[in-house]
Every structure is written in structure tokens, then in C-alpha cells.
Amino acid sequence: MFHQYKRIIEDGDPVIVYVTPDAMRPIFVKSGEIFNNRFGSFRHNDMIGLEYGSKIESHDGRGYVYLLHPTPALWTQVVPHRTQILYFADISFISLHLDLRPGKVMVESGTGSGSFSHSIARTIAPTGHLFTFEYHELRAATAKKEFEEHGLSHIVTIENRDVIANGFGKSNIADAVFLDLPAPWDAVAAAKEVLRKDTIGRICCFSPCIEQVQATALALDEHGFSEIRMFECLAKDCEVRAVPFPDIAEAINGKKISFKQSTVDRKKRKLDNDSMNDVDGEEPKTTERTISKPAEVTRGHTSYLTFAILAPDIVE
């Protein structure tokens, strides 16, 4: 489901129930069951047979929701947080710099909540494979169950293993390695062992603190990696809205543009403009223009991304 699309919702299919961008919930559609939220009750039987993306009203008519097709991007927003997760600003940047594409073999250590694992699986499908390792037994078991439920078990192999103490148990198979560990520098030797030696190998280490970056960079250099670079992704959202622009006369009288008009204020202004039109038949003096501005609240630092490459062995 997460690496391919289908049109019609069937019994047993996963669905992302969308209310608002900040209110979504994943469910499995099962005949006879009911989904409840503040807008009412939604029968699963009514969902079966609908197309993904359909709008469905509650049984008691109090509201509606949308039934969205599950994707890695949506899963990142609704995944149960068992650990800190990667968001799409970092995910897309890492995927680009690790050159992930269909057919690639990827090794990940630090499965966590599986947010990044779902995105990797979609990117390397249908012929690639992800080997992901998680040292925490319960998190590994939970992630394995989710991969099976989401139809990814043929692309993703998960193992409960401490790679710092025991390595990956594999050699010369991976095109890229991703380390999300407290001490990634202790796993650099194992990462070098698992990377292919007949092509350029790529590695990314995800670290919250700059001291971790320093230790990791030294370890990468000691083990023969090159082009060591560190990045920090800071995503900034922009809000788009229509705001009233006063004419010259109003501006001279001191009227200013308001970028923080509430919905009530905008409705009141519209009613005032409509009443002016009814009286004199003229266009209102104040016009609206569409503008964009940075959001007042922006997600700050998540982690530092340290990248490096391992040159292939050259046999003369």
C-alpha cells in the first residue's frame, strides 16, 4: 500500500482519516466497525467501496472527514512516536544526498518509529531492499508488525541487533548506510564493512549535537571516507492569504495594512464592501491582494546531517 497506489477502499485496507492538517488518524477499514471523533460516527461499511480521497459524512450528520490513501509523507505525520522521528525536510535531503532510487540496497541503524524506513522503502521499490536494525526489542517487534501490515515486508528486513557491539552481520552489500545512533562514530567501521566496494558508497549520520558531529567526522576520516560534509535543514513555512489594501486617500489618513485579520474581521469588511456597492453601485475603495509571509511559528533545529563517501577499491 505504501509503495503503490490503488483506487478503491476494500475491507482490511489502511486509510488516513483527514479532518485538518493537524488532525489525522490512521485506521484499518474493517467491516462492522465504527470510527468515532468529535464530528460523529463513521461506519467502516460506508467506507468500503469508496475511492481514496472521498469525503464521507458522519452517520448523525454532525460533520465529515476525508479518506486519504496512506503515503510515507502522511505516515510521518500520524506515526505513533516511539522515538524522535525524521520529518520530510530531513528525509528528502537525505534521500537526495544518498542517491536513493529504485533498485538501491540501503542499510539503516536506528529504526525507531519507522518514519524514515517507510520513505526509504517507497524510494527504492520495487527492486531495492532495506535492511534496518533496531537494538530495542519491543520497538523492533512493533516496527516489524507495521511493515507487514503496510505491505512492505518484501522490501524491508528488520532485525533486533546492537550494531555498535555486534556490527551488521553483513558485508559488501549496501549502496548507502544511514546511522541514527547516540554514538554513530562507534558504528563507522561496521558501516564501512557493509558498503559495497565496487562502487561509491554513501553514508549519512543523524546527530542532534555538534560534539557528535565532530567525533563522527574524525571517525569517518580515520576509516578512509572522504568528502565529509555537515548540513542542517531548517524548513520555513509561508502563509498565503488575502489582505485588504487601502487606496491612497485611506493611506494618507493613516489606515494601515493588517496582516492579522481574523475571520470575523474579514467577513465584516466583506459585508461593509457589499453594502457600499448596494448604495452607490461603485467598486469598494479597498481592494484585496494575495500575499505570502513566513509563518510566525517555525520548527527549529532537529539534527545535524553528516555525509561522506567511500571510494571504490581500484584493482589494477
Tab-separated table of all heavy atoms in Angstrom, residues 181-206:
chain	number	residue	atom	x	y	z
A	181	LEU	N	22.113	6.972	15.642
A	181	LEU	CA	22.556	6.338	16.875
A	181	LEU	C	23.127	7.386	17.833
A	181	LEU	O	23.601	8.436	17.395
A	181	LEU	CB	23.649	5.296	16.569
A	181	LEU	CG	23.274	4.149	15.623
A	181	LEU	CD1	24.524	3.378	15.217
A	181	LEU	CD2	22.267	3.219	16.288
A	182	PRO	N	23.133	7.095	19.140
A	182	PRO	CA	23.733	8.038	20.086
A	182	PRO	C	25.223	8.247	19.844
A	182	PRO	O	25.745	9.343	20.064
A	182	PRO	CB	23.474	7.377	21.448
A	182	PRO	CG	22.338	6.435	21.224
A	182	PRO	CD	22.486	5.960	19.811
A	183	ALA	N	25.919	7.191	19.410
A	183	ALA	CA	27.363	7.279	19.148
A	183	ALA	C	27.668	6.698	17.772
A	183	ALA	O	28.243	5.598	17.659
A	183	ALA	CB	28.142	6.547	20.235
A	184	PRO	N	27.304	7.405	16.705
A	184	PRO	CA	27.496	6.850	15.355
A	184	PRO	C	28.956	6.569	15.011
A	184	PRO	O	29.235	5.699	14.178
A	184	PRO	CB	26.902	7.924	14.442
A	184	PRO	CG	26.887	9.171	15.260
A	184	PRO	CD	26.695	8.740	16.678
A	185	TRP	N	29.888	7.287	15.654
A	185	TRP	CA	31.303	7.062	15.358
A	185	TRP	C	31.739	5.648	15.712
A	185	TRP	O	32.670	5.110	15.116
A	185	TRP	CB	32.161	8.088	16.102
A	185	TRP	CG	31.920	8.156	17.573
A	185	TRP	CD1	32.547	7.422	18.543
A	185	TRP	CD2	30.966	8.980	18.248
A	185	TRP	NE1	32.053	7.744	19.787
A	185	TRP	CE2	31.087	8.705	19.650
A	185	TRP	CE3	30.052	9.939	17.846
A	185	TRP	CZ2	30.325	9.344	20.622
A	185	TRP	CZ3	29.280	10.568	18.815
A	185	TRP	CH2	29.408	10.274	20.171
A	186	ASP	N	31.052	5.022	16.658
A	186	ASP	CA	31.390	3.641	17.021
A	186	ASP	C	30.871	2.625	16.006
A	186	ASP	O	31.221	1.442	16.086
A	186	ASP	CB	30.825	3.305	18.408
A	186	ASP	CG	31.574	4.009	19.529
A	186	ASP	OD1	32.764	4.309	19.330
A	186	ASP	OD2	30.961	4.270	20.584
A	187	ALA	N	30.029	3.055	15.084
A	187	ALA	CA	29.478	2.141	14.071
A	187	ALA	C	30.056	2.413	12.686
A	187	ALA	O	29.642	1.773	11.714
A	187	ALA	CB	27.955	2.263	14.028
A	188	VAL	N	30.994	3.335	12.575
A	188	VAL	CA	31.562	3.689	11.263
A	188	VAL	C	32.310	2.495	10.657
A	188	VAL	O	32.215	2.230	9.455
A	188	VAL	CB	32.485	4.918	11.383
A	188	VAL	CG1	33.289	5.114	10.098
A	188	VAL	CG2	31.657	6.159	11.673
A	189	ALA	N	33.066	1.759	11.488
A	189	ALA	CA	33.801	0.599	10.977
A	189	ALA	C	32.841	-0.448	10.416
A	189	ALA	O	33.079	-1.031	9.349
A	189	ALA	CB	34.663	-0.007	12.086
A	190	ALA	N	31.728	-0.694	11.123
A	190	ALA	CA	30.734	-1.662	10.644
A	190	ALA	C	30.067	-1.168	9.369
A	190	ALA	O	29.758	-1.960	8.466
A	190	ALA	CB	29.684	-1.904	11.725
A	191	ALA	N	29.852	0.160	9.280
A	191	ALA	CA	29.254	0.734	8.071
A	191	ALA	C	30.187	0.549	6.874
A	191	ALA	O	29.740	0.227	5.763
A	191	ALA	CB	28.956	2.214	8.288
A	192	LYS	N	31.479	0.747	7.106
A	192	LYS	CA	32.447	0.545	6.016
A	192	LYS	C	32.431	-0.901	5.542
A	192	LYS	O	32.519	-1.186	4.343
A	192	LYS	CB	33.843	0.927	6.494
A	192	LYS	CG	34.915	0.792	5.418
A	192	LYS	CD	36.279	1.235	5.927
A	192	LYS	CE	37.333	1.091	4.828
A	192	LYS	NZ	38.675	1.541	5.293
A	193	GLU	N	32.295	-1.839	6.473
A	193	GLU	CA	32.278	-3.256	6.125
A	193	GLU	C	31.051	-3.618	5.285
A	193	GLU	O	31.142	-4.423	4.350
A	193	GLU	CB	32.286	-4.089	7.414
A	193	GLU	CG	32.165	-5.595	7.214
A	193	GLU	CD	33.370	-6.208	6.516
A	193	GLU	OE1	34.459	-5.585	6.527
A	193	GLU	OE2	33.210	-7.302	5.941
A	194	VAL	N	29.904	-3.015	5.581
A	194	VAL	CA	28.675	-3.397	4.895
A	194	VAL	C	28.529	-2.724	3.529
A	194	VAL	O	27.766	-3.191	2.677
A	194	VAL	CB	27.452	-3.092	5.783
A	194	VAL	CG1	27.061	-1.634	5.733
A	194	VAL	CG2	26.256	-3.967	5.412
A	195	LEU	N	29.247	-1.622	3.288
A	195	LEU	CA	29.145	-0.931	1.999
A	195	LEU	C	29.830	-1.717	0.879
A	195	LEU	O	30.851	-2.384	1.105
A	195	LEU	CB	29.781	0.459	2.101
A	195	LEU	CG	28.965	1.533	2.819
A	195	LEU	CD1	29.820	2.767	3.091
A	195	LEU	CD2	27.734	1.913	1.995
A	196	ARG	N	29.266	-1.603	-0.300
A	196	ARG	CA	29.871	-2.244	-1.475
A	196	ARG	C	31.233	-1.606	-1.773
A	196	ARG	O	31.434	-0.414	-1.579
A	196	ARG	CB	28.957	-2.099	-2.689
A	196	ARG	CG	27.694	-2.918	-2.611
A	196	ARG	CD	26.750	-2.578	-3.744
A	196	ARG	NE	27.391	-2.727	-5.061
A	196	ARG	CZ	26.815	-2.382	-6.205
A	196	ARG	NH1	25.605	-1.832	-6.205
A	196	ARG	NH2	27.448	-2.566	-7.347
A	197	LYS	N	32.144	-2.439	-2.293
A	197	LYS	CA	33.492	-1.947	-2.587
A	197	LYS	C	33.737	-1.751	-4.080
A	197	LYS	O	34.814	-1.296	-4.481
A	197	LYS	CB	34.539	-2.931	-2.038
A	197	LYS	CG	34.374	-3.258	-0.550
A	197	LYS	CD	34.425	-2.017	0.312
A	197	LYS	CE	34.372	-2.340	1.798
A	197	LYS	NZ	33.080	-2.905	2.222
A	198	ASP	N	32.714	-2.067	-4.907
A	198	ASP	CA	32.890	-1.928	-6.350
A	198	ASP	C	32.262	-0.657	-6.894
A	198	ASP	O	32.227	-0.433	-8.102
A	198	ASP	CB	32.305	-3.142	-7.076
A	198	ASP	CG	30.804	-3.316	-6.806
A	198	ASP	OD1	30.316	-2.746	-5.797
A	198	ASP	OD2	30.128	-4.003	-7.587
A	199	THR	N	31.735	0.170	-6.007
A	199	THR	CA	31.107	1.423	-6.423
A	199	THR	C	31.223	2.422	-5.278
A	199	THR	O	31.670	2.071	-4.174
A	199	THR	CB	29.624	1.200	-6.791
A	199	THR	OG1	29.080	2.409	-7.326
A	199	THR	CG2	28.817	0.781	-5.579
A	200	ILE	N	30.843	3.649	-5.529
A	200	ILE	CA	30.904	4.663	-4.480
A	200	ILE	C	29.861	4.359	-3.412
A	200	ILE	O	28.677	4.211	-3.707
A	200	ILE	CB	30.665	6.071	-5.055
A	200	ILE	CG1	31.824	6.470	-5.979
A	200	ILE	CG2	30.507	7.094	-3.946
A	200	ILE	CD1	31.626	7.812	-6.656
A	201	GLY	N	30.305	4.232	-2.180
A	201	GLY	CA	29.393	4.031	-1.064
A	201	GLY	C	29.110	5.349	-0.368
A	201	GLY	O	29.984	6.217	-0.272
A	202	ARG	N	27.897	5.504	0.123
A	202	ARG	CA	27.491	6.765	0.752
A	202	ARG	C	26.971	6.505	2.156
A	202	ARG	O	26.311	5.496	2.404
A	202	ARG	CB	26.425	7.466	-0.086
A	202	ARG	CG	26.879	7.731	-1.521
A	202	ARG	CD	25.791	8.390	-2.359
A	202	ARG	NE	26.191	8.463	-3.763
A	202	ARG	CZ	26.927	9.434	-4.283
A	202	ARG	NH1	27.335	10.428	-3.504
A	202	ARG	NH2	27.260	9.425	-5.557
A	203	ILE	N	27.258	7.453	3.053
A	203	ILE	CA	26.834	7.310	4.441
A	203	ILE	C	26.289	8.640	4.945
A	203	ILE	O	26.748	9.713	4.526
A	203	ILE	CB	28.005	6.847	5.335
A	203	ILE	CG1	27.515	6.555	6.760
A	203	ILE	CG2	29.142	7.867	5.354
A	203	ILE	CD1	28.560	5.892	7.645
A	204	CYS	N	25.281	8.553	5.814
A	204	CYS	CA	24.731	9.728	6.480
A	204	CYS	C	24.557	9.399	7.960
A	204	CYS	O	24.044	8.334	8.308
A	204	CYS	CB	23.383	10.136	5.880
A	204	CYS	SG	22.575	11.489	6.791
A	205	CYS	N	25.000	10.322	8.816
A	205	CYS	CA	24.835	10.175	10.263
A	205	CYS	C	23.961	11.313	10.774
A	205	CYS	O	24.212	12.480	10.478
A	205	CYS	CB	26.184	10.192	10.965
A	205	CYS	SG	27.325	8.904	10.392
A	206	PHE	N	22.947	10.956	11.551
A	206	PHE	CA	21.957	11.897	12.058
A	206	PHE	C	22.260	12.145	13.534
A	206	PHE	O	22.131	11.236	14.354
A	206	PHE	CB	20.567	11.281	11.865
A	206	PHE	CG	19.417	12.159	12.265
A	206	PHE	CD1	18.862	13.057	11.372
A	206	PHE	CD2	18.847	12.053	13.534
A	206	PHE	CE1	17.771	13.844	11.727
A	206	PHE	CE2	17.769	12.829	13.902
A	206	PHE	CZ	17.233	13.730	12.989
